[in-house]
Amino acid sequence: MRLGRNSGAAFAALQHAYILTAFNPDRSVILMDKNIEIELPRPEDVVVMDIEASSLRGTSKTVYDTDSTSYPVEIGIAHADGRTEAHLIKPEASWKDWNGEHGNEDKGRIHGISRRQLFEEGRDVRDVAGWLNDELTGKVVMCDSPEAKADTFWIDRLFQAAQVERTFDIQYLYDYIDLQDPDMGRAYDNTGLSREAPHRAGQDAADVMILYSEYYALKNSDDQRPDFDTPSF
């Protein structure tokens, strides 16, 4: 799921600024967002995460207590060096929510993944939680769901079902990037990425990572641009 926003959130950016100072400030980029200086983390310190879900139900709440709320069906992560990995998730027995296509309820309306595919090919929640902790601990984990609310909701559902403690935090990408910044448009043009998301977690994460790396390079033109390879799926 790739989502956008109209402008940076200055107050939220100020809250998150302390996180970014840990990543070699000598090579950091300064982004001006409503007169607040923000240090962009280097792409090699960032992992982009993307999640496809059963629906959006429950993501606006801070507490959920029914089986009809949404849950993650696919999680993808992407590194700046081109490494990308994604896994389908086998639904827990109590995960009943689903937003199917009209006329084909088994197929997810947005991502096209079917419930049958999840049960046949999905990984156990404990396996996925362990994989995420291994890959993301110590990294700046970015997502593009507004204020990271939806992705945090789905990740919490996963880890609670797995009974595993999460060892990483999730940051909102556009707390650090203003979509009205002309360099954001240039980054899209330079990478040739479509502004329409394919709505598969691995490809969406890879696209956002490529875009972030290019944006960072434009903001840090005195340094060599980070190398990345476009993954194949």
Side-chain angles (χ1 to χ4, degrees):
M1 174 178 295
R2 256 170 48 196
L3 301 172
R5 75 186 252 171
N6 294 325
S7 63
F11 179 72
L14 183 60
Q15 287 181 311
H16 295 323
Y18 77 95
I19 298 171
L20 306 182
T21 59
F23 297 99
N24 194 354
D26 291 336
R27 293 195 60 224
S28 296
V29 173
I30 301 299
L31 170 67
M32 297 301 296
D33 187 348
K34 298 182 180 179
N35 299 319
I36 295 178
E37 290 190 353
I38 307 167
E39 295 179 17
L40 288 176
R42 301 170 303 177
E44 55 264 39
D45 295 321
V46 172
V47 179
V48 172
M49 180 177 65
D50 189 84
I51 302 176
E52 300 301 325
S54 60
S55 73
L56 293 174
R57 296 182 186 95
T59 57
S60 62
K61 301 177 182 178
T62 57
V63 177
Y64 56 89
D65 57 4
T66 73
D67 295 334
S68 62
T69 51
S70 59
Y71 52 86
V73 302
E74 185 181 45
I75 298 178
I77 61 173
H79 300 260
D81 62 5
R83 289 182 294 124
T84 302
E85 189 173 354
H87 294 285
L88 297 174
I89 301 167
K90 183 178 180 179
E92 292 287 282
S94 62
W95 291 0
K96 305 296 186 182
D97 174 70
W98 193 248
N99 184 25
E101 284 189 351
H102 180 70
N104 184 4
E105 285 297 320
D106 186 58
K107 185 177 181 181
R109 182 176 299 179
I110 302 300
H111 43 68
I113 302 167
S114 70
R115 286 267 294 178
R116 179 177 179 177
Q117 184 180 3
L118 294 177
F119 282 107
E120 291 179 350
E121 303 175 20
R123 293 182 62 184
D124 180 79
V125 291
R126 288 186 63 85
D127 291 341
V128 177
W131 162 65
L132 289 171
N133 276 343
D134 289 344
E135 290 286 337
L136 303 182
T137 299
K139 294 290 187 177
V140 179
V141 182
M142 291 190 178
C143 72
D144 65 353
S145 67
E147 299 179 9
K149 285 184 177 179
D151 282 9
T152 299
F153 177 86
W154 293 321
I155 285 293
D156 284 346
R157 290 219 73 180
L158 175 79
F159 275 83
Q160 288 171 10
Q163 297 183 346
V164 172
E165 182 180 358
R166 175 159 58 95
T167 58
F168 59 90
D169 293 323
I170 306 170
Q171 309 299 323
Y172 180 35
L173 174 67
Y174 297 112
D175 278 345
Y176 309 120
I177 298 175
D178 187 341
L179 283 175
Q180 296 180 0
D181 185 341
D183 281 336
M184 193 61 173
R186 295 187 189 100
Y188 268 110
D189 292 341
N190 291 351
T191 59
L193 293 173
S194 171
R195 294 175 186 256
E196 295 297 324
H199 291 297
R200 288 303 300 264
Q203 188 63 64
D204 284 356
D207 287 353
V208 174
M209 187 73 249
I210 290 170
L211 186 65
Y212 179 81
S213 295
E214 181 63 20
Y215 181 82
Y216 179 95
L218 289 170
K219 288 298 184 184
N220 194 14
S221 58
D222 291 337
D223 288 343
Q224 182 178 357
R225 294 188 178 194
D227 296 328
F228 52 80
D229 298 320
T230 302
S232 59
F233 292 86

